[in-house]
Amino acid sequence: MTKFNFFDQQALAAPELSPAAAENLVRERYGIDGTATELGSQQDANFRIESAAATFVLKVSNPAFTADDLDAQDRAAAHVARSAGILAPTAVEGHDGRTVQPVTVAGRSTVARLVTYLDGESLSAGEYLAPPVVAALGDLAGRTSLALATYAGPLPPRELQWDLRNAHDVVVRLAEFVSVPGGADAARDAAGRAADALATYAGRLPLQPVHGDLTADNVISVAGADGRRRPVGVIDFGDLMRSWGIAELAVTCSSLLPYSGSDPSVILPAIRAFHAVRPITDDELSALWPLVVLRAAALMVSGRHQASIDAANRYAVGNLDHEWRVFEAATALPIDVMTALVRSAIRPPVAPPVAAGRPVIAGHTLTVLDFSTTSPALHDGRFGHDEADLAAIAGLAYVPYLQPRLTRTRLNSAEPPATVGLGVELFAAEPVDLRAPWPGTVVLHDDAVALHGESRTLWLTGSLRDTVSGALQAGELLGHLLPGSARIQVSLLNARPPFFVPAAMADAWAQLCPDPTPLIAPDAPGGHPDGALPARRAGAFAPVQEHYFTEPPQIERGWRQHLFDVTGRSYLDMLNNVSILGHGHPRLADAIEQQWRLLNTNSRFHYGAVVEFAERLAALVPAPLDTVFLVNSGTEADDLALRLAWANTGRRDVLAVREAYHGWSDATDAVSTSVADNPNALDTRPAWVHTLDAPNAYRGRYRGAEAGRYAEDAVEAVRDLVAGGRPPAAFLCEPFYGNAGGMALPAGYLAAIYPAVRDAGGLCVADEVQVGYGRLGEHFWGFEQQGVVPDIVTVAKAMGNGHPLGAVLTTREIAAGYRSQGYFFSSAGGSPVSCVAGLTVLNVLRDEGLQDNARVVGAHLRARLLALADKHPIIGAVHGMGLYIGVELVRDRETLEPATEETAAICERLRELGIIMQPTSDRMCVLKIKPPLGITRADADFFADTLDRVLTEGW
Ligand code: PMP
């Protein structure tokens, strides 16, 4: 039998077979009664066959392929399944015992097979693949490759168009079928460049059997607990062949490129995971990206070719756009840059090269400009100013090579901004001479001057004058930099590189854009951001202090409701309830600084701030509350509230609500019942703590209209305590149910319980640490929403906008009851600096109308989220009011099964898209939305739009 050779074939149109004919065939040959549905294929006819017992796939091959080829494919699939534990289709024997059945379709002889159908969805079904899913795909490709390396069965030689050793020829032959303007040339160029880049390594690449089409399309996945698809199986061994082993990964990587919002670094987890299973050699690493380009080009031209010869093939025609996107993504960046990126996935970092040459500028003293996230020059939102404004100093200054610039950040953007300069930027107050660092030829472009030297080019852009052109010697005058700025970049590439790139791509680009600093400032220190910070944190900081996110960004600045990491990426902060005024508020910073310069002692001294602050706080609460204790945190405030209750009543027992958090000290931990905050909460509770049902009207024991019964039960519980001889010293409760997900308590809840507690001689404590201070919009305090006045109110968090500050507000009489404990003193509680911080927070809150903003923007945000709930079944409820909102995610709106893992994954995806969000509640299935109170309607829209995108595209 002659071997199949693509290059000898004219056309490989898929065989034409009706579903009815497919059903007949399956009945005749395999004795299976089933219903046939057409499945797409480039060159074969495939049907899904559903019978009463099982589901199969009938594959009627293109007549060009032989029975031996198909037999080999079945054996290889079985081998992969057996040795790698990967699901793969199994061939079913016909009546005659053969798996490969000769058939005649439209007068042509060919063969058919029936294989088992793998349950699940193609991995390509969603629009987004999260990094762990990409890694799982790389792992699957690695295991498949490892298994196929030991496949010892038959493998008839074939000359396939999908063999990447043939890809360049395929592109040359089929490029003419690309009708997109310029597309044919683009395909030829890209393939030519990739083939050149590959030439050095091609002869040294190991060969082995490969699946050859291990794309997301051909990987079967099942949804994991977090709702992300996990690859479990591989289908379609139709391109099985002997080829370069690394080609397997190249195909997989190319299929990952067009996913939504992806920059090319999205493929790195796949490469890392593949390498962990099946190590990648240096030659293979250099070959990988050229092979991705060749695959993308060959796939694109083949698709167009197939569509031209088989216009009725909906599968081939329908894929054209997708294949074009793969091609565009594969060719968007230079091969050398992508190879540097790919290398960074598995090899230690390489310092960028450094440019050498004669000085471009000489005889000047240069100042270094700092436009990075931590630069003091960018305080008070100055990063939003023009860079030239910021650089307006006398003399000559420069922004260093590879410094991620906060000045280039973009607020509320889903894409990481291009912040990193691949050269230096000069800012000059006086004209400066620029000289050629090496001999070369100067070419003047519209917006740039290029000095092409031997294997490197100097690029200059900016306010240049009198630039010369033509041949120059090193040291000769190139032109003048006028007062203004100029960018100086050195490139090893033929094409002109961008000056700014996103941080994720900077190190790869830097390999091709050497550091030009020695050309302008030979003695300047080098230096790179410290990448070892997470490890140092893990080494020195107690590990029980956890961190947000699996890949935590290093956030070093905040401004209003935005946070910035060291790459200059901005995040909308929808989480930080403490910073009610927003981050970096200049009024607060100035006030604290002034007070620090003046005095910071303690409240045993006599000074005005403590008096003024205490009076202001006392004025915020209704009578009879009039007396203030100042401490440093919510924990201390709640701890002190308990001690006041104990001291005043001479009792120990406390009634608290389940699923709440009140602090980490011994006493507050005892009354904290939230397993999300303390997994041991239920086992470690001392006998003096008595708990009430979580009054959750959404998913608790009583729901909806029934929720009034929580209060009835609570009153009953108070009576039981009294009857049992353990009347409560205190009833402690958040007046708006913050830790459970930001939901209101049932109407009348506290109004029913407070009198019962007081009748029993106990005190009612409202923990306003999270929900008070204007966040609810309509109300300054949570207890107002319940229409009650507590005996003791605890406050913290927002009070200091992040400065450690807490307070207990109570009556004169209850405060006096503390005498039996001795006196009360807290070294920093009520210090001059703390009091000034607290006063300033209150002033800004008032002057900027933040409570009202919480009401207005909160209502808008809530309405947007409720509209999303109509569209996305995973949103079970939208709780809360003002800017304390909880979006509860459920797997089923009837059972209310919490979508815990999904919520965590959604928060990770929101982070990638520029939003800081975390889960809360005992089930960790509520998005806790409690941003700084100054967020705008546009911020709320960015959040709602992004959440909509994530819930639509997948996470
Ligand atoms: N009470 C409530 C309701 C809280 O949410 C918290 C903190 N999450 C605390 C008390 C403890 O406050 P801190 O962390 O300031 O000690």
Side-chain angles (χ1 to χ4, degrees):
M1 193 175 297
T2 54
K3 72 170 187 173
F4 169 76
N5 187 334
F6 161 74
F7 296 97
D8 298 340
Q9 297 284 327
Q10 283 311 307
L12 285 181
E16 275 177 40
L17 193 70
S18 71
E23 286 166 9
N24 281 338
L25 196 124
V26 173
R27 194 172 309 114
E28 265 173 34
R29 303 297 176 91
Y30 302 90
I32 292 172
D33 270 321
T35 318
T37 326
E38 223 170 316
L39 298 172
S41 167
Q42 276 254 359
Q43 296 166 343
D44 303 330
N46 293 338
F47 295 89
R48 181 186 158 117
I49 306 289
E50 254 155 320
S51 79
T55 307
F56 303 91
V57 176
L58 176 70
K59 299 170 80 70
V60 182
S61 297
N62 194 293
F65 302 115
T66 68
D68 286 349
D69 291 336
L70 302 174
D71 181 52
Q73 290 163 22
D74 292 341
R75 288 167 189 268
H79 177 74
V80 168
R82 233 184 0 259
S83 56
I86 293 170
L87 298 178
T90 313
V92 179
E93 289 180 1
H95 287 311
D96 59 3
R98 290 195 293 176
T99 52
V100 178
Q101 297 283 324
V103 294
T104 304
V105 175
R108 290 195 295 171
S109 305
T110 184
V111 287
R113 284 167 306 151
L114 191 69
V115 298
T116 53
Y117 178 85
L118 301 189
D119 273 331
E121 247 191 327
S122 157
L123 191 61
S124 60
E127 289 174 69
Y128 168 73
L129 296 179
V133 179
V134 172
L137 179 60
D139 171 76
L140 185 97
R143 286 189 290 137
T144 305
S145 178
L146 208 57
L148 284 174
T150 62
Y151 169 67
L155 188 59
R158 306 194 287 168
E159 208 60 68
L160 282 186
Q161 108 200 65
W162 307 117
D163 185 342
L164 293 189
R165 291 177 299 174
N166 296 332
H168 186 221
D169 288 347
V170 169
V171 173
V172 169
R173 198 171 287 230
L174 302 182
E176 63 182 285
F177 291 94
V178 181
S179 55
V180 180
D185 283 343
R188 284 190 207 101
D189 281 1
R193 264 181 277 124
D196 287 348
L198 194 62
T200 322
Y201 313 100
R204 302 200 295 255
L205 298 177
L207 293 162
Q208 68 161 80
V210 297
H211 175 283
D213 197 16
L214 205 54
T215 62
D217 272 337
N218 284 336
V219 167
I220 298 298
S221 64
V222 293
D226 56 7
R228 289 169 169 164
R229 290 181 304 282
R230 289 283 183 280
V232 292
V234 175
I235 59 168
D236 195 353
F237 283 69
D239 296 337
L240 180 75
M241 65 188 135
R242 193 172 165 75
S243 184
W244 291 316
I246 195 65
E248 199 83 280
L249 180 60
V251 169
T252 303
C253 287
S254 68
S255 86
L256 287 172
L257 290 176
Y259 280 89
S260 170
S262 63
D263 72 71
S265 63
V266 295
I267 63 171
L268 300 186
I271 297 171
R272 234 170 261 135
F274 185 96
H275 179 67
V277 179
R278 185 282 196 199
I280 301 173
T281 67
D282 271 336
D283 287 333
E284 289 179 325
L285 204 48
S286 302
L288 183 57
W289 196 259
L291 289 173
V292 168
V293 174
L294 283 166
R295 161 72 182 190
L299 185 73
M300 192 270 285
V301 299
S302 299
R304 309 262 153 176
H305 173 235
Q306 192 70 24
S308 76
I309 58 174
D310 191 5
N313 185 332
R314 270 178 286 134
Y315 174 81
V317 174
N319 267 346
L320 295 181
D321 282 350
H322 175 82
E323 289 160 359
W324 180 256
R325 284 210 306 281
V326 173
F327 174 71
E328 275 189 324
T331 53
L333 296 181
I335 288 173
D336 288 343
V337 173
M338 286 307 301
T339 295
L341 180 74
V342 160
R343 189 170 287 278
S344 74
I346 53 175
R347 297 283 190 261
V350 185
V354 176
R358 302 269 295 264
V360 172
I361 50 176
H364 293 273
T365 309
L366 277 85
T367 314
V368 179
L369 292 170
D370 184 359
F371 286 174
S372 74
T373 299
T374 49
S375 169
L378 305 181
H379 288 342
D380 302 346
R382 280 174 60 83
F383 59 84
H385 291 223
D386 195 47
E387 286 179 340
D389 257 15
L390 292 166
I393 53 153
L396 193 58
Y398 73 100
V399 186
Y401 174 66
L402 299 188
Q403 180 182 88
R405 297 191 193 178
L406 189 65
T407 45
R408 302 258 146 193
T409 197
R410 287 206 313 271
L411 301 180
N412 291 351
S413 163
E415 295 292 326
T419 53
V420 181
L422 298 170
V424 295
E425 186 162 21
L426 287 173
F427 288 87
E430 306 287 329
V432 177
D433 289 351
L434 301 170
R435 298 182 177 276
W438 48 69
T441 310
V442 179
V443 178
L444 301 180
H445 298 258
D446 280 352
D447 63 337
V449 177
L451 171 68
H452 298 285
E454 199 185 334
S455 70
R456 64 203 159 159
T457 303
L458 178 78
W459 288 94
L460 296 173
T461 55
S463 42
L464 308 172
R465 221 195 43 207
D466 304 333
T467 39
V468 297
S469 64
L472 273 192
Q473 289 306 313
E476 283 191 277
L477 197 64
L478 255 168
H480 304 290
L481 164 59
L482 296 182
S485 69
R487 292 177 188 157
I488 299 183
Q489 186 174 26
V490 178
S491 167
L492 307 179
L493 293 161
N494 290 327
R496 180 176 166 188
F499 191 83
F500 288 106
V501 294
M505 296 301 298
D507 287 345
W509 272 105
Q511 295 300 323
L512 285 311
C513 296
D515 182 356
T517 316
L519 305 181
I520 60 152
D523 302 327
H528 264 295
D530 182 1
L533 209 57
R536 281 169 49 199
R537 174 181 166 121
F541 199 49
V544 287
Q545 301 170 89
E546 297 183 349
H547 59 74
Y548 297 140
F549 303 118
T550 50
E551 300 278 336
Q554 188 184 337
I555 290 173
E556 298 285 2
R557 181 185 288 278
W559 175 243
R560 299 189 191 277
Q561 52 275 22
H562 306 283
L563 293 170
F564 304 94
D565 71 15
V566 286
T567 72
R569 174 93 161 104
S570 83
Y571 299 91
L572 179 64
D573 181 4
M574 292 297 287
L575 179 70
N576 270 281
N577 57 338
V578 175
S579 312
I580 47 168
L581 312 185
H583 302 280
H585 202 291
R587 251 179 97 179
L588 185 58
D590 288 348
I592 290 177
E593 192 206 329
Q594 287 306 318
Q595 187 58 46
W596 261 115
R597 290 179 182 279
L598 208 55
L599 174 75
N600 200 23
T601 53
N602 67 64
S603 63
R604 282 187 185 141
F605 286 95
H606 184 51
Y607 46 87
V610 73
V611 179
E612 203 186 327
F613 189 37
E615 284 175 355
R616 285 284 290 278
L617 285 172
L620 288 169
V621 281
L625 307 176
D626 59 1
T627 304
V628 176
F629 290 86
L630 291 174
V631 290
N632 307 285
S633 68
T635 298
E636 286 176 68
D638 282 333
D639 202 301
L640 176 56
L642 290 174
R643 297 208 42 201
L644 282 167
W646 290 333
N648 273 280
T649 60
R651 302 172 182 169
R652 184 73 175 166
D653 292 81
V654 172
L655 197 55
V657 170
R658 281 202 283 280
E659 296 184 22
Y661 178 78
H662 299 288
W664 60 264
S665 68
D666 205 22
T668 55
D669 178 63
V671 291
S672 291
T673 47
S674 160
V675 288
D677 290 293
N678 174 4
N680 305 324
L682 302 181
D683 308 325
T684 55
R685 198 184 308 142
W688 55 266
V689 178
H690 309 276
T691 63
L692 296 173
D693 260 337
N696 185 326
Y698 174 64
R699 62 160 65 248
R701 182 203 296 236
Y702 307 121
R703 302 182 184 177
E706 289 264 273
R709 296 182 60 188
Y710 287 117
E712 292 168 22
D713 286 2
V715 170
E716 197 58 42
V718 175
R719 282 201 202 109
D720 287 350
L721 285 177
V722 174
R726 308 194 66 157
F731 164 62
L732 170 64
C733 180
E734 280 190 280
F736 200 86
Y737 211 7
N739 264 296
M743 54 178 76
L745 295 173
Y749 184 73
L750 294 185
I753 302 173
Y754 275 19
V757 171
R758 285 174 179 144
D759 285 351
L763 296 176
C764 299
V765 183
D767 179 340
E768 295 274 1
V769 168
Q770 244 195 101
V771 300
Y773 247 63
R775 175 162 294 282
L776 299 180
E778 295 283 346
H779 312 286
F780 189 86
W781 299 113
F783 62 73
E784 292 167 26
Q785 194 267 342
Q786 284 281 304
V788 293
V789 176
D791 302 307
I792 302 175
V793 177
T794 59
V795 205
K797 295 198 190 246
M799 251 182 108
N801 200 54
H803 185 92
L805 206 48
V808 173
L809 314 178
T810 187
T811 64
R812 190 128 294 265
E813 186 193 346
I814 293 172
Y818 194 86
R819 272 290 167 212
S820 61
Q821 309 291 299
Y823 54 76
F824 179 79
F825 176 64
S826 162
S827 295
S831 73
V833 167
S834 288
C835 290
V836 163
L839 279 166
T840 310
V841 169
L842 283 173
N843 292 341
V844 174
L845 197 59
R846 175 197 62 208
D847 297 347
E848 295 186 4
L850 293 177
Q851 183 181 339
D852 201 47
N853 192 61
R855 183 178 64 77
V856 175
V857 177
H860 172 69
L861 177 57
R862 206 180 129 75
R864 290 282 328 260
L865 295 170
L866 281 169
L868 290 189
D870 288 340
K871 188 170 161 194
H872 301 289
I874 193 171
I875 298 183
V878 178
H879 309 300
M881 68 188 298
L883 285 175
Y884 204 133
I885 298 177
V887 172
E888 183 145 2
L889 303 181
V890 294
R891 291 187 183 146
D892 182 316
R893 284 185 175 179
E894 290 300 311
T895 65
L896 304 189
E897 185 187 352
T900 305
E901 287 81 1
E902 294 89 331
T903 309
I906 287 166
C907 289
E908 295 285 343
R909 178 63 177 146
L910 286 169
R911 206 273 303 156
E912 287 181 352
L913 295 172
I915 287 171
I916 300 292
M917 181 44 50
Q918 284 291 295
T920 189
S921 100
D922 263 21
R923 288 151 291 277
M924 296 300 267
C925 67
V926 180
L927 298 175
K928 57 172 156 183
I929 302 168
K930 37 184 198 166
L933 302 189
I935 65 161
T936 63
R937 205 179 153 94
D939 296 326
D941 286 337
F942 176 62
F943 176 73
D945 292 344
T946 308
L947 182 61
D948 187 20
R949 171 174 170 184
V950 173
L951 298 184
T952 305
E953 288 181 355
W955 52 87

